Amino acid sequence: MTEQDTTLALAPRLAEELRDKLIAGELKPGQRLSEAALSVGMDVSRNSLREAFRLLTKEGLLRHEHNRGVFVATPSVASIIDIYRVRRTIECQALAKAYPNHPAVARMRLAVERARAARSDKDWGTVGSQNMVFHAAIVDLADSQRLNAFYAQIAAELRLSFGLLADPELLHAPYVDLNAAIVEKLEAGMTAEASAALEAYLTQSERTVLAAFSRIDERNPSGK
Amino acid sequence: MTEQDTTLALAPRLAEELRDKLIAGELKPGQRLSEAALSVGMDVSRNSLREAFRLLTKEGLLRHEHNRGVFVATPSVASIIDIYRVRRTIECQALAKAYPNHPAVARMRLAVERARAARSDKDWGTVGSQNMVFHAAIVDLADSQRLNAFYAQIAAELRLSFGLLADPELLHAPYVDLNAAIVEKLEAGMTAEASAALEAYLTQSERTVLAAFSRIDERNPSGK
DNA sequence: CAAATAAAATCGTTGAACAATCTTGACATA
DNA sequence: TATGTCAAGATTGTTCAACGATTTTATTTG
């Protein structure tokens, strides 16, 4: 009974598989993805693979150049700034307008607690993924499927950038307690304060990521 | 020199062509799009058409059912509520954080003036499209490519819903002056007031659309 | 008239083919 | 040596034909 009953379409499955590899860093920014090579590697036809490419291109994880092929998207300072702008717009508003009994609040708290436990174990991978869960839950406060889907996409793009950065401790550890403060303010009904705290959080996080990114980028300007 | 030098890829062109037909109402909600029929009708291969279908499905304009084909998305009360939730989140925040000298402000004003001119001519189509321009300009205040792209998608979905509604005068005419008031507040640096006015606008517009939509929907519950 | 079954249509996916375009490398020229 | 030309070679863009899988329609049967 562990198998999938509903045979999902092939292209979305391929896209998911590729997305995982992109986020895991198995496929590196700037790298070209050969249709011929990948289609035999993944044991599917070129046509099916091209459908998957189109999906991931639309998500911003791949870049498509006509008659030249698809490449893993190369994060840039501009894209990071853009992504944080999106996050501030959506997350802060979701938090400001949230009502404190929303089911997503429980998920926020749970993510905070799990992140704290992982932090004591120095399990930075889990700290990072619980941080993602926390922010996805914030967006979920707005009760909008479309915002959720859009945010998932933005988060995947951001994780592509994170892949370039070396130090997950620096990247995620400092924010566990800030997250805790946010959820506490929210639970207390202080949505405006929670939102303000989140904005400060995001600004600080953006600065950290940009600084780390610039250090990489100036050594290796074109992302090869 | 009027021709396109860069031969654009086929799939995006097909997607654009279909998108236009969807928004124009040539393809009706719930209608099934046969791969075989459409591919001969548009004189392209089934494979290319399928790539275009994937794009439009990801945009929310088409719905894909495994082994059954693609259908024109059927707007629902839930989808309209969701779309307006997105609009309030993004547009109000963009306006609240805007700075009044942003180039998009000029476009907002221009759209208002054109809409007013069109209103005196009772050219409701232009009134509607200038209204779309106005709101796209608001989102542009946030200076984010990703928000712009996302909003364009949401707007297309909303226009699909509008296609079902009969009366463009009722739908757009009352909002020309509200738009004017918003741009004036913004130009005066009163971003908070502009944002509040927009929120009231959107709530009222949502109510109008939902009311009109329910009248249609109860006569024709499952969209043909 | 309902249920079961057979036939037809449609989608899902593959593989091969060929045109269009880009890349590479050899070669000639200044 | 540096540079520009030009012909392979490789890769993408697109089409076509085929066939298994699934759904829909039509037919038969009880």
Side-chain angles (χ1 to χ4, degrees), chain A residues 87-88 91-93 95-96 108 134-135 138 174-186 190-206, chain B residues 97:
Chain A
R87 293 187 68 182
R88 264 191 296 268
E91 293 189 49
C92 291
Q93 188 76 345
L95 207 44
M108 291 170 63
F134 179 81
H135 288 278
I138 288 181
Y175 303 109
V176 177
D177 292 324
L178 294 179
N179 287 349
I182 288 169
V183 75
E184 272 154 28
K185 288 191 174 99
L186 176 56
M190 303 159 66
T191 54
E193 290 81 354
S195 180
L198 177 61
E199 178 157 11
Y201 166 120
L202 286 172
T203 299
Q204 186 180 337
S205 169
E206 176 182 28
Chain B
K97 296 275 180 81

Side-chain angles (χ1 to χ4, degrees), chain B residues 18-59:
Chain B
L18 287 170
R19 201 181 297 116
D20 290 344
K21 287 187 181 171
L22 288 165
I23 290 174
E26 289 179 46
L27 303 172
K28 297 198 171 61
Q31 177 181 347
R32 177 165 147 274
L33 301 184
S34 155
E35 291 186 356
L38 255 185
S39 64
V40 307
M42 303 180 80
D43 201 46
V44 295
S45 73
R46 261 180 77 207
N47 288 324
S48 300
L49 185 60
R50 282 171 61 89
E51 288 188 25
F53 279 172
R54 293 270 183 224
L55 296 176
L56 292 168
T57 299
K58 193 127 202 163
E59 290 178 23

Side-chain angles (χ1 to χ4, degrees), chain A residues 7-61:
Chain A
T7 306
L8 237 65
L10 183 53
R13 273 191 353 237
L14 291 176
E16 189 177 347
E17 191 173 340
L18 287 171
R19 201 181 296 118
D20 289 345
K21 286 186 181 170
L22 288 166
I23 291 174
E26 289 179 46
L27 304 171
K28 299 202 170 60
Q31 177 181 347
R32 177 164 147 275
L33 302 184
S34 155
E35 292 186 354
L38 254 185
S39 64
V40 308
M42 303 180 80
D43 201 44
V44 296
S45 74
R46 260 180 76 206
N47 287 322
S48 300
L49 184 61
R50 283 171 60 88
E51 287 188 26
F53 279 172
R54 282 260 137 75
L55 295 177
L56 292 169
T57 299
K58 192 128 205 167
E59 291 179 22
L61 296 179

Side-chain angles (χ1 to χ4, degrees), chain B residues 1-171:
Chain B
M1 284 297 188
T2 52
E3 59 177 293
Q4 295 258 87
D5 266 350
T6 55
T7 305
L8 237 66
L10 182 54
R13 273 191 355 237
L14 292 176
E16 188 177 347
E17 191 174 339
L18 287 170
R19 201 181 297 116
D20 290 344
K21 287 187 181 171
L22 288 165
I23 290 174
E26 289 179 46
L27 303 172
K28 297 198 171 61
Q31 177 181 347
R32 177 165 147 274
L33 301 184
S34 155
E35 291 186 356
L38 255 185
S39 64
V40 307
M42 303 180 80
D43 201 46
V44 295
S45 73
R46 261 180 77 207
N47 288 324
S48 300
L49 185 60
R50 282 171 61 89
E51 288 188 25
F53 279 172
R54 293 270 183 224
L55 296 176
L56 292 168
T57 299
K58 193 127 202 163
E59 290 178 23
L61 297 180
L62 298 181
R63 177 172 37 92
H64 191 166
E65 296 184 17
H66 194 57
N67 276 318
R68 292 185 20 100
V70 302
F71 303 78
V72 179
T74 306
S76 66
V77 168
S79 71
I80 292 175
I81 291 175
D82 199 279
I83 287 171
Y84 271 94
R85 222 164 258 178
V86 172
R87 293 188 68 183
R88 265 190 296 267
T89 302
I90 293 179
E91 294 189 48
C92 292
Q93 187 76 345
L95 207 45
K97 296 275 180 81
Y99 80 105
N101 294 327
H102 193 287
V105 177
R107 272 183 288 136
M108 290 171 64
R109 170 149 293 286
L110 188 61
V112 165
E113 282 162 14
R114 285 183 176 157
R116 276 187 162 145
R119 185 180 54 180
S120 359
D121 298 350
K122 298 194 186 303
D123 175 2
W124 306 119
T126 301
V127 172
S129 66
Q130 288 303 315
N131 192 36
M132 302 304 264
V133 170
F134 179 83
H135 288 279
I138 289 180
V139 176
D140 209 17
L141 291 170
D143 281 319
S144 163
Q145 283 184 219
R146 283 164 183 76
L147 281 178
N148 286 337
F150 179 52
Y151 185 80
Q153 197 173 299
I154 293 294
E157 270 195 89
L158 189 55
R159 291 172 77 180
L160 197 62
S161 301
F162 284 177
L164 293 176
L165 276 34
D167 195 343
E169 177 173 359
L170 176 73
L171 220 55

